[in-house]
Amino acid sequence: MPITPATETHSSTNGAAQAILLELVDEKGVTIGTAEKLAAHQAPGQLHRAFSVFLFDEQGRLLLQQRALGKYHSPGVWSNTCCGHPYPGEAPFAAAARRTYEELGVSPSLLAEAGTVRYNHPDPASGLVEQEFNHLFVGLVQTPLAPDAEEVAETAFVTAQELAERHARDPFSAWFMTVLDAARPAVRELTGPAAGW
């Protein structure tokens, strides 16, 4: 695995771990500062920049991931292909491509912007809050996955019908339907009407 800001060991000169910072934004998505990652997610939450990726195979099936059980936020639930936060000053597109590779071991063969969505989703299980200005991306994956077990418990490619069935029975992230609904126009453009998205 390549060494990136997300995978290298963060330590200061005295050996203490450095905090991961997120970019705080206003309601228009303009950067207004930074906050430590966990602090930004504690109630009532601080509005920060995020991204969500939806990758599809050549049959128009969506790649879902089940978040690893060891994750501090929303462990064990199903969600979109990849989501996360750009580092301060990092372009959302670059962050989306970086984290997709870090989590799933693949680089999308196509990755396109699909708009933004702003939401406030408390997570009842953890008490954390997702106050996010989320940049959406859709794309194609055409190479075998190599998930990082510390990030991803399981993956699945699903049709629109299979997603509806799975969503009715399995736990999903609090933000999943919000980001999927916001990305649907771009998803439909990418997959075509026959895929049913």
Side-chain angles (χ1 to χ4, degrees):
M1 177 186 301
I3 301 299
T4 71
T7 58
E8 71 180 339
T9 302
H10 290 274
S11 61
S12 62
T13 54
N14 66 6
Q18 292 180 352
I20 295 175
L21 296 178
L22 305 185
E23 207 170 78
L24 300 180
V25 299
D26 66 15
E27 293 292 337
K28 294 181 180 177
V30 176
T31 302
I32 58 172
T34 60
E36 190 277 325
K37 184 177 180 180
L38 187 56
H41 288 88
Q42 290 174 339
Q46 295 175 278
L47 184 59
H48 58 275
R49 194 176 308 285
F51 64 83
S52 290
V53 177
F54 296 86
L55 295 183
F56 294 82
D57 66 10
E58 292 170 335
Q59 289 77 50
R61 297 179 303 167
L62 172 61
L63 173 58
L64 297 177
Q65 72 154 272
Q66 184 182 30
R67 293 166 62 85
L69 292 175
K71 293 184 81 72
Y72 79 98
H73 190 348
S74 302
V77 302
W78 287 91
S79 199
N80 48 293
T81 307
C82 180
C83 53
H85 310 93
Y87 291 115
E90 182 182 27
F93 183 92
R98 170 179 59 79
R99 283 303 288 164
T100 299
Y101 184 82
E102 290 171 353
E103 292 188 11
L104 295 161
V106 293
S107 295
S109 55
L110 170 74
L111 191 63
E113 294 183 8
T116 60
V117 62
R118 191 263 195 252
Y119 53 79
N120 175 1
H121 284 302
D123 176 31
S126 67
L128 299 175
V129 178
E130 289 289 6
Q131 282 264 23
E132 293 189 330
F133 188 94
N134 197 306
H135 297 257
L136 308 170
F137 298 92
V138 299
L140 296 173
V141 60
Q142 296 174 303
T143 56
L145 305 176
D148 178 348
E150 291 187 11
E151 298 286 346
V152 180
E154 192 176 339
T155 60
F157 282 97
V158 296
T159 65
Q161 180 61 39
E162 290 166 343
L163 174 62
E165 293 166 2
R166 185 180 289 258
H167 192 261
R169 76 168 186 264
D170 295 335
F172 272 73
S173 64
W175 61 88
F176 176 75
M177 287 309 299
T178 299
V179 292
L180 175 59
D181 286 344
R184 277 189 200 274
V187 168
R188 290 178 182 131
E189 186 175 340
L190 175 73
T191 61
W197 293 103

